Amino acid sequence: MTKTSYDEALMAAALSAGRREMGHTWPNPAVGALVVRETPQGPVVLGRGWTAKGGRPHAEPQALEQAGEGARGATLYVTLEPCSHHGGTPPCVDAVRAAGISRVVAAIEDPDFRVAGRGFSILREAGIEVEVGVGAAEAHIAHAGHIRRVTEGRPHIMLKLAVSADGKVGLAGRRPAAITGEVARGRVHMMRSLHDAVLTGIGTVLADDPLLTCRLPGMQDRSPLRIVLDASLRLPPTSALARSLSVAPLWVVAAEDAPDAPEAMLVAMGIEVMRVRRRPDGGLDLNETLKLLALRGITRVMVEAGPRIAAAFLRERLVDEANVFEAPVRLGDEALDALEGLPLSALDDYLTVCESERHGEDRLRIMRRR
């Protein structure tokens, strides 16, 4: 293998390590890092690290600690520029310099204004060779939530849809329908585990009474924060969401003019209630909602909602990624359209298919912004 091939393979391994706690490091990005020493037989990984739950410790000091004295003269592979500012922990660039690392290979620069190239400058001034760009395309996907939050002031939004062969998502009268198979449903649970939060609407809660947790064997502790858009505070205290606070927290976003009594009851149960403005059509202001979530540290949101909210996110061009499961079952002309007031092809207006997967009899199309 060439040096470039080694670098690409080792960065892929660092990206894989960074995904270990993805969805559970907010407000920090889920970074991966490797400490590697070149030998005549090829590179040897001496230390491996990833951002821990809750965002600390960071990936780099963990990998350096694991490598110990072996880090002196070695190469550090890291998926995002090492931080150079004092936060809850000392700057990672200080740990890199102190460890004696001679070369840093980073996938991308951190757009956070507190870093934004400063980390690389500090390392270069210390005589450390710095190379940026290896694995950049994959790193931009892995760190999309962090990038969106620090550059646009909102989380990265992934819209999940499960549609029948005739483009429907439910039966007439907004009754739920089983569309995808067990394999696809398992994939959805894995998706939830990789997001900071899952967002739905009160209509879906009242119709389906979902849990929105990760229920794969041994992974219940990977369940994300749940968020309900509930303009008038109609969330039943007996709902599955309200009764599962021991599994994952629940936030409710209500309108400014929603009644106070239901809020007091929900807060007493341990549910956090936030308020935003209404849109002219009576729905909640989605841009204000997302800005509020970003201020709370949320970076990646999975939207699992009904046709109204799904269409509202698309109309506001707030969908950054769509995961569309397509099942062979047909629900008929009277069934519920996937996007209220919009054709399913509205997804193509500014998203493009990047990947396709098979899950049993169902197909998954992964779409991202062009």
Side-chain angles (χ1 to χ4, degrees):
M1 293 177 70
T2 65
K3 185 176 182 180
T4 299
S5 298
Y6 274 131
D7 284 348
E8 290 172 349
L10 290 163
M11 184 60 74
L15 284 160
S16 179
R19 285 189 283 268
R20 288 285 192 97
E21 293 296 345
M22 183 177 285
H24 302 273
T25 66
W26 59 276
N28 291 347
V31 176
L34 303 181
V35 176
V36 179
R37 179 172 292 284
E38 296 284 346
T39 72
Q41 292 74 39
V44 175
V45 177
L46 304 177
R48 183 182 286 107
W50 52 87
T51 311
K53 273 189 177 181
R56 297 186 183 93
H58 291 183
E60 299 95 321
Q62 293 187 79
L64 293 167
E65 182 180 2
Q66 194 176 106
E69 282 301 310
R72 196 160 298 280
T75 297
L76 173 70
Y77 291 84
V78 62
T79 62
L80 186 69
E81 178 181 7
C83 65
S84 54
H85 61 284
H86 284 270
T89 57
C92 288
V93 291
D94 290 355
V96 176
R97 290 187 298 180
I101 288 289
S102 64
R103 179 175 179 245
V104 171
V105 179
I108 57 175
E109 181 180 300
D110 189 343
D112 189 328
F113 73 93
R114 297 170 297 178
V115 188
R118 185 166 175 265
F120 293 145
S121 296
I122 292 171
L123 295 174
R124 289 186 175 111
E125 288 168 4
I128 297 172
E129 179 187 351
V130 176
E131 183 173 346
V132 184
V134 177
E138 187 63 30
H140 274 105
I141 294 172
H143 297 308
H146 170 69
I147 294 169
R148 194 81 60 189
R149 179 172 176 260
V150 300
T151 60
E152 299 183 28
R154 68 169 179 85
H156 181 84
I157 300 299
M158 188 276 274
L159 174 65
K160 172 259 170 182
L161 295 173
V163 301
S164 64
D166 47 355
K168 308 294 183 177
V169 295
L171 301 174
R174 298 190 179 274
R175 290 175 295 140
I179 295 176
T180 55
E182 184 176 350
V183 178
R185 288 193 289 271
R187 181 73 167 87
V188 171
H189 284 271
M190 181 61 73
M191 288 176 183
R192 290 175 186 166
S193 76
L194 297 173
H195 284 79
D196 305 353
V198 173
L199 181 148
T200 195
I202 187 60
T204 297
V205 174
L206 296 176
D208 300 351
D209 196 24
L211 268 172
L212 301 179
T213 54
C214 175
R215 297 189 294 281
L216 294 174
M219 291 185 65
Q220 195 169 34
D221 65 339
R222 305 282 305 184
S223 293
L225 165 74
R226 286 86 51 83
I227 300 170
V228 179
L229 302 185
D230 183 10
S232 300
L233 284 176
R234 296 185 290 153
L235 180 76
T238 56
S239 65
L241 288 170
R243 289 185 288 105
S244 57
L245 300 182
S246 62
V247 178
L250 176 61
W251 293 357
V252 174
V253 183
E256 291 174 332
D257 59 358
D260 293 332
E263 176 178 352
M265 179 177 60
L266 295 176
V267 169
M269 295 177 65
I271 298 167
E272 185 164 351
V273 177
M274 296 167 278
R275 292 178 182 254
V276 298
R277 292 171 297 184
R278 287 185 187 266
R279 299 193 309 264
D281 65 3
L284 295 173
D285 186 315
L286 295 181
N287 283 284
E288 185 179 344
T289 298
L290 296 186
K291 283 181 174 22
L292 185 59
L293 296 181
L295 287 171
R296 299 293 184 95
I298 301 299
T299 69
R300 293 168 53 85
V301 174
M302 177 176 172
V303 175
E304 278 195 82
R308 289 177 183 170
I309 288 177
F313 270 91
L314 273 172
R315 285 193 183 95
E316 296 284 343
R317 289 188 172 258
L318 291 172
V319 176
D320 304 303
E321 181 180 343
N323 283 253
V324 185
F325 289 90
E326 298 169 331
V329 63
R330 303 183 74 87
L331 298 182
D333 293 341
E334 300 302 315
L336 200 61
D337 289 334
L339 301 170
E340 187 167 288
L342 292 175
L344 191 57
S345 61
L347 290 166
D348 301 322
D349 287 350
Y350 65 98
L351 303 173
T352 189
V353 177
C354 300
E355 300 175 49
S356 182
E357 301 173 0
R358 296 294 305 189
H359 295 280
E361 295 186 347
D362 306 315
R363 183 173 70 129
L364 168 61
R365 290 189 302 147
I366 300 174
M367 309 177 73
R368 297 191 180 97
R369 280 184 180 269
R370 285 194 282 272

